[in-house]
Amino acid sequence: MKTPKRIAPLIEEGLVDEVLRQLMSGKEATVYVVRCGEEIRCAKVYKEADRRSFHQAVSYQEGRRVKNSRQARAMEKGTRYGRKMAEEVWQNAEVDALYRLAAAGVRVPQPYVCFEGVLLMELLTDADGHAAPRLNDVVLGEALALQYHATLLHQVVLMLCAGVIHGDLSEFNILVTGEGPVIIDLPQAVDAAGNTGAGDMLVRDVANLAAYFSRFAPSLLGSQYGKEIWALYQAGLLTPDTPLTGYVAPDETKADVGAVLREIEDARLEEEARQRYLAAQS
């Protein structure tokens, strides 16, 4: 097929020999099957920011580090240089997460190089050697659904133990290979300790898994694995081998209504004082 413009620099650098076909296109990127010498790999071409349909990037970028304060200021101001840096941070987040998670034993694609906004990585295949399908396209029975759910729940725990939360996990970014499910698409991955919304993202990821697999295994309906995992993590009790029950005891602590009312009154008095000060200055 005709070489996509964004992959041309990789061919010029000798990183890719030939583009064979387009594999899939999503909200973040378009993926192509490419030949690199004797190996068949895939090239993930990230879409420009204004062409992406993933609109929650700001909440995922909290806690991410940049090289220096100049870059951070430029990103905050939204200058052309700042936008370029933001794109690099967004793309590098996936590469960093893939290496970090692979080292932790999480089933993710093997990354090779990220060059000019194109991530070159392992092509995942099914038992017959064809490109692995998305989980959403696989027919499941109850037993297999429970098996895959348990496998993916363990992967989520491994990720969290490595300090990473996927942030957008669903049946659409999980591939089913000959060895089972593999988690993909990680540019929005967040640092569990550095993002104030990390807990909510973790719970949502796990709820997405339960909602999907409960179509085939109704026993998963109502499970609370996400809340259980996050509570164990916060308490410093989560390990890759921690047994999970899917149950979280309800919080029966009585609300301190008096304390809440005092906070409201303090805020009211503070606002009145501020208004008086502003009136005096005018």
Side-chain angles (χ1 to χ4, degrees):
M1 65 171 288
K2 182 180 179 181
T3 301
K5 182 179 180 181
R6 295 281 299 283
I7 298 182
L10 281 78
I11 291 181
E12 293 171 3
E13 292 293 324
L15 299 172
V16 171
D17 291 302
E18 182 183 6
V19 180
L20 302 178
R21 61 187 175 90
Q22 180 176 315
L23 181 60
M24 64 178 67
S25 182
K27 58 190 176 185
E28 280 297 304
T30 300
V31 180
Y32 298 89
V33 177
V34 299
R35 181 176 62 81
C36 304
E38 299 298 319
E39 295 189 16
I40 303 300
R41 298 175 176 175
C42 63
K44 182 174 184 177
V45 181
Y46 292 97
K47 294 180 180 179
E48 300 294 340
D50 58 356
R51 296 179 59 193
R52 292 199 301 252
S53 59
F54 197 90
H55 298 303
Q56 297 173 301
V58 174
S59 62
Y60 292 90
Q61 290 174 354
E62 179 186 347
R64 291 185 177 178
R65 298 177 181 178
V66 294
K67 295 178 182 178
N68 54 54
S69 57
R70 174 173 175 261
Q71 291 180 351
R73 289 194 300 272
M75 288 169 61
E76 289 176 1
K77 293 179 180 178
T79 62
R80 177 181 296 180
Y81 173 73
R83 292 193 297 273
K84 182 176 183 295
M85 287 300 100
E87 282 302 293
E88 287 188 8
V89 169
W90 185 255
Q91 294 164 12
N92 289 337
E94 177 158 37
V95 182
D96 294 343
L98 287 173
Y99 278 116
R100 187 172 174 182
L101 295 176
V106 181
R107 300 203 67 226
V108 293
Q110 171 67 44
Y112 296 112
V113 65
C114 189
F115 184 76
E116 298 292 331
V118 179
L119 173 59
L120 196 60
M121 58 184 176
E122 172 189 11
L123 175 66
L124 298 170
T125 59
D126 63 15
D128 297 319
H130 304 130
R134 287 182 172 136
L135 175 61
N136 184 63
D137 297 322
V138 177
V139 178
L140 300 175
E142 183 175 6
L144 190 56
L146 289 171
Q147 177 186 326
Y148 281 0
H149 178 264
T151 297
L152 288 163
L153 209 57
H154 182 59
Q155 298 302 302
V156 169
V157 170
L158 286 176
M159 291 175 68
L160 187 54
C161 288
V164 179
I165 294 171
H166 188 285
D168 189 36
L169 191 59
S170 75
E171 63 271 22
F172 298 103
N173 43 37
I174 296 168
L175 298 182
V176 180
T177 71
E179 289 74 41
V182 176
I183 295 172
I184 63 170
D185 293 341
L186 288 146
Q188 74 293 317
V190 301
D191 184 273
N195 191 301
T196 55
D200 290 337
M201 293 181 194
L202 184 281
V203 171
R204 185 180 64 213
D205 280 353
V206 176
N208 286 344
L209 293 177
Y212 180 71
F213 286 113
S214 66
R215 302 177 192 175
F216 314 98
S219 60
L220 294 173
L221 284 170
S223 60
Q224 297 178 299
Y225 287 106
K227 291 182 179 179
E228 181 184 15
I229 291 169
W230 186 248
L232 288 167
Y233 171 77
Q234 287 189 305
L237 301 175
L238 186 68
T239 72
D241 301 316
T242 301
L244 301 173
T245 65
Y247 173 77
V248 176
D251 185 359
E252 298 180 351
T253 304
K254 292 183 178 180
D256 188 343
V257 179
V260 173
L261 292 175
R262 286 192 293 274
E263 288 286 340
I264 294 173
E265 179 63 12
D266 288 345
R268 185 184 67 81
L269 294 174
E270 183 179 342
E271 177 61 18
E272 288 181 353
R274 190 180 74 85
Q275 293 294 339
R276 288 196 296 270
Y277 173 77
L278 293 175
Q281 297 300 310
S282 60

